[in-house]
């Protein structure tokens, strides 16, 4: 009886000690928020939960619907990779039917001009150099190159190129700027694609500012760049029409390889069922997962999101069927998709709305899944990608996804604290005028408090 009593006292002391530790940490977080200028004018929502028990460790405004920015890449990419498979390959197929050539696009975000050129070299080596028609099967994903809620001025954002079945060369052209001794700046493109550049750029020791604009209602192939640079640098300019860019490059290759296609109209057309596969370009999905979770690649994230929706519904991939497929994937674990709004799978859409509590539920569901450890290894640790200059002391104990849009900052993922417990953490900060770096520092201080609790 005395042994049972002593055990009871021992466990009671442990529980009180744990609760006191949490309370002390939570008081520190409260004071940090109260002291910050963000608390006066901005919205701050936080959720910290033990992934093993699901218990709430700390929360603030956990049910408020806010913008997740790129943290939405966690649930979207986890759904996509589990739907497509870790052994999935993006495939661009070349088919022959009678005297016609068909190209079946796979929306491959890794596809390059060099790979296309090699493919036609292989056709030439097989004696396939004369065709009546060339058709392009672009049915794998829809033709909406911008998702609902993307801003018009994202059109020239180097981080948000258009998404298309015609993905090629990262859907961007590189503009190189070389400063000269006379104070002028020479500009050149890394492609002969007919794009006009008006560059109003000066050499300036205090430079490094560039303002890139494209006014599609006037001329979608005209880009204006203003600013000052102090050395040689480059900037990526998203392509205005991926289909036009793809066909331009096909024409260029056909001419160089002396391959004849009698009809110059490359219509969109589904491949006949009994067409013969004569060549295939294939790229693995695994490098794409790392690019999404570590470097926040929007083109890749949105592409695999749509592809997964199309695979689940055996149809053309869209944001709409991707959302429904993702809801089915998570709802079996009681994650409520009726409470959120998602218009894309990369976080660029300004229409996306989720709560930090909802994201915590997602993180816990992923933790309980058999593929968690494999997926976690793709996530950024301090020193990687978008965490390259953050939380260095937590490498090996933090796996996080950042998110940034104008006046929006987000952070979500996993923290292994000094006590050995793993926590799901989500922080959304919105409607601020502070510099993004200051807000990121605020997030890091919260993460460090959880780690040290």
């Amino acid at each position: 009886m005395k042994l049972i009593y002593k055990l009871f006292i021992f466990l009671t002391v442990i529980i009180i000690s744990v609760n006191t530790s949490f309370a002390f940490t939570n008081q520190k977080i409260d004071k940090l928020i109260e002291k910050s200028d963000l608390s006066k004018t901005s919205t701050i929502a936080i959720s910290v939960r033990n992934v093993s028990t699901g218990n709430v460790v700390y929360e603030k405004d956990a049910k408020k619907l806010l913008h997740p920015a790129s943290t939405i890449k966690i649930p979207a990419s986890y759904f996509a990779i589990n739907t497509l498979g870790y052994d999935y390959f993006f495939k661009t197929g070349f088919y022959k039917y009678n005297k016609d050539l068909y190209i079946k696009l796979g929306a491959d975000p890794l596809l390059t001009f060099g790979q296309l050129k090699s493919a036609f070299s292989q056709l030439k080596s097989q004696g396939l150099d004369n065709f009546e028609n060339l058709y392009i099967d672009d049915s794998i994903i829809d033709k909406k190159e911008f998702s609902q809620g993307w801003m018009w001025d994202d059109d020239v954002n180097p981080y948000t190129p258009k998404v298309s079945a015609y993905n090629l060369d990262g859907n961007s052209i590189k503009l190189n700027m070389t400063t000269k001794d006379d104070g002028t700046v020479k500009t050149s493109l890394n492609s002969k694609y007919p794009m006009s550049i008006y560059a109003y750029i000066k050499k300036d020791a205090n430079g490094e500012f560039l303002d890139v604009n494209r006014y599609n209602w006037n001329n979608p192939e005209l880009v204006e760049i203003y600013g000052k640079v102090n050395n040689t640098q480059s900037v990526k300019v998203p392509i205005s029409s991926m289909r036009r860019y793809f066909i331009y490059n096909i024409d260029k290759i056909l001419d160089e390889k002396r391959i004849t296609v009698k009809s110059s109209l490359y219509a969109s057309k589904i491949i006949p069922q009994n067409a013969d596969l004569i060549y295939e370009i294939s790229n693995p999905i695994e490098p794409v997962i790392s690019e999404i979770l570590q470097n926040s690649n929007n083109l890749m994230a949105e592409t695999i999101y749509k592809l997964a929706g199309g695979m689940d519904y055996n149809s053309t991939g869209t944001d709409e069927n991707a959302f429904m497929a993702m809801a089915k994937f998570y709802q079996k674990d009681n994650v409520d998709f009726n409470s959120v709004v998602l218009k894309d799978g990369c976080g660029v859409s300004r229409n996306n709305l989720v709560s930090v509590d909802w994201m915590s539920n997602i993180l816990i569901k992923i933790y309980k899944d058999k593929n968690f450890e494999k997926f976690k290894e793709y996530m950024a640790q301090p020193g990687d990608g978008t965490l390259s200059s953050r939380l260095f002391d937590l490498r090996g104990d933090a796996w996080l996804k950042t998110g940034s849009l104008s006046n929006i900052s987000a952070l979500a993922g996993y923290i292994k604290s000094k006590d050995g417990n793993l926590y799901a953490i989500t922080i959304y900060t919105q409607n601020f005028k502070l510099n993004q770096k200051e807000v990121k520092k605020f997030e890091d201080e919260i993460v460090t408090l959880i780690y040290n609790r």
Side-chain angles (χ1 to χ4, degrees), residues 255-271:
D255 184 60
E256 180 182 328
K257 300 295 180 184
R258 298 181 183 275
I259 296 174
T260 303
V261 176
K262 291 183 180 178
S263 172
S264 60
L265 180 63
Y266 305 152
S268 297
K269 191 174 181 181
I270 303 293
I271 295 175

Side-chain angles (χ1 to χ4, degrees), residues 71-81 301 304-305 326 330 344-346:
T71 63
I72 205 61
K73 289 182 173 74
I74 294 175
S77 61
Y78 191 78
F79 144 72
I81 193 64
I304 68 167
Y305 181 64
M326 184 163 69
Y330 286 108
D344 68 13
C346 61

Side-chain angles (χ1 to χ4, degrees), residues 201-364:
I201 306 169
K202 293 182 180 179
K203 181 179 180 181
D204 190 298
N206 299 315
E208 294 301 330
F209 167 76
L210 290 173
D211 182 24
V212 183
N213 298 283
R214 174 162 53 206
Y215 305 105
N216 286 313
W217 50 89
N218 287 332
N219 184 350
E221 301 300 351
L222 171 63
V223 174
E224 298 180 4
I225 301 180
Y226 302 84
K228 299 175 181 178
V229 295
N230 63 15
N231 56 22
T232 298
Q233 66 179 81
S234 62
V235 63
K236 287 185 177 180
V237 180
I239 294 157
S240 62
S241 169
M242 283 312 306
R243 188 175 195 278
R244 190 183 305 130
Y245 179 75
F246 191 91
I247 289 173
Y248 168 83
N249 281 289
I250 292 293
D251 275 336
K252 185 177 176 181
I253 295 169
L254 292 175
D255 184 60
E256 180 182 328
K257 300 295 180 184
R258 298 181 183 275
I259 296 174
T260 303
V261 176
K262 291 183 180 178
S263 172
S264 60
L265 180 63
Y266 305 152
S268 297
K269 191 174 181 181
I270 303 293
I271 295 175
Q273 288 188 352
N274 54 345
D276 296 320
L277 177 65
I278 51 179
Y279 191 78
E280 189 172 71
I281 301 170
S282 183
N283 287 311
I285 196 172
E286 290 213 49
V288 166
I289 310 169
S290 296
E291 273 297 304
I292 292 170
L293 294 175
Q294 295 187 20
N295 296 314
S296 210
N297 189 296
N298 291 308
L299 165 63
M300 294 179 179
E302 183 65 5
T303 297
I304 68 167
Y305 181 64
K306 285 188 174 184
L307 286 173
M311 176 178 285
D312 190 81
Y313 280 90
N314 193 28
S315 66
T316 296
T318 67
D319 283 318
E320 292 77 16
N321 60 24
F323 176 79
M324 291 187 292
M326 184 163 69
K328 285 192 297 180
F329 178 78
Y330 286 108
Q331 279 175 344
K332 63 179 181 288
D333 295 284
N334 299 316
V335 179
D336 180 17
F337 270 69
N338 292 320
S339 64
V340 301
V341 178
L342 292 178
K343 297 300 181 181
D344 68 13
C346 61
V348 172
S349 173
R350 288 285 181 156
N351 294 357
N352 293 337
L353 289 172
V354 309
S355 68
V356 292
D357 181 68
W358 181 88
M359 184 61 75
S360 285
N361 283 331
I362 291 284
L363 291 168
I364 291 170

Side-chain angles (χ1 to χ4, degrees), residues 43-282:
T43 301
I44 303 168
I46 303 170
S47 172
V48 183
R49 290 168 63 181
N50 186 306
V51 294
S52 296
T53 65
N55 292 340
V56 173
V57 174
Y58 181 89
E59 65 179 12
K60 179 184 184 321
D61 289 333
K63 302 292 185 182
K64 279 190 175 179
L65 289 176
L66 297 171
H67 200 296
S70 282
T71 63
I72 205 61
K73 289 182 173 74
I74 294 175
S77 61
Y78 191 78
F79 144 72
I81 193 64
N82 278 278
T83 300
L84 298 171
Y86 285 89
D87 58 351
Y88 181 84
F89 278 79
F90 305 100
K91 294 179 179 179
T92 305
F94 293 76
Y95 292 79
K96 186 175 181 296
Y97 182 74
N98 294 331
K99 294 183 178 181
D100 298 329
L101 175 65
Y102 285 78
I103 302 176
K104 183 171 178 57
L105 301 179
D108 182 357
L110 298 175
L111 185 65
T112 65
F113 173 79
Q115 287 181 315
L116 281 180
K117 193 172 179 180
S118 294
F120 279 99
S121 292
Q122 289 296 320
L123 299 189
K124 181 80 172 179
S125 69
Q126 296 176 42
L128 301 171
D129 58 3
N130 197 321
F131 300 96
E132 288 287 334
N133 299 288
L134 191 158
Y135 296 110
I136 302 177
D137 185 342
D138 56 7
S139 60
I140 193 162
I141 63 174
D142 65 12
K143 294 178 173 58
K144 294 180 182 177
E145 295 181 330
F146 257 31
S147 297
Q148 188 182 104
W150 288 26
M151 306 296 284
W152 72 268
D153 52 351
D154 282 330
D155 179 60
V156 287
N157 186 334
Y159 300 108
T160 55
K162 293 180 176 178
V163 178
S164 169
Y166 295 88
N167 289 341
L168 181 65
D169 295 332
N171 297 3
S172 299
I173 291 177
K174 186 181 288 185
L175 171 68
N176 301 307
M177 291 161 285
T178 306
T179 56
K180 299 173 74 174
D181 292 338
D182 62 3
T184 60
V185 180
K186 180 182 178 182
T187 61
S188 62
L189 293 171
N190 70 333
S191 169
K192 295 189 183 218
Y193 180 68
M195 177 187 291
S196 299
I197 303 289
Y198 284 179
Y200 304 91
I201 306 169
K202 293 182 180 179
K203 181 179 180 181
D204 190 298
N206 299 315
E208 294 301 330
F209 167 76
L210 290 173
D211 182 24
V212 183
N213 298 283
R214 174 162 53 206
Y215 305 105
N216 286 313
W217 50 89
N218 287 332
N219 184 350
E221 301 300 351
L222 171 63
V223 174
E224 298 180 4
I225 301 180
Y226 302 84
K228 299 175 181 178
V229 295
N230 63 15
N231 56 22
T232 298
Q233 66 179 81
S234 62
V235 63
K236 287 185 177 180
V237 180
I239 294 157
S240 62
S241 169
M242 283 312 306
R243 188 175 195 278
R244 190 183 305 130
Y245 179 75
F246 191 91
I247 289 173
Y248 168 83
N249 281 289
I250 292 293
D251 275 336
K252 185 177 176 181
I253 295 169
L254 292 175
D255 184 60
E256 180 182 328
K257 300 295 180 184
R258 298 181 183 275
I259 296 174
T260 303
V261 176
K262 291 183 180 178
S263 172
S264 60
L265 180 63
Y266 305 152
S268 297
K269 191 174 181 181
I270 303 293
I271 295 175
Q273 288 188 352
N274 54 345
D276 296 320
L277 177 65
I278 51 179
Y279 191 78
E280 189 172 71
I281 301 170
S282 183

Side-chain angles (χ1 to χ4, degrees), residues 401-420:
K401 181 73 199 73
T402 63
S404 302
L405 289 170
S406 297
N407 315 117
I408 293 170
S409 184
L411 190 70
Y414 302 94
I415 300 293
K416 185 180 179 182
S417 68
K418 284 184 175 180
D419 64 9

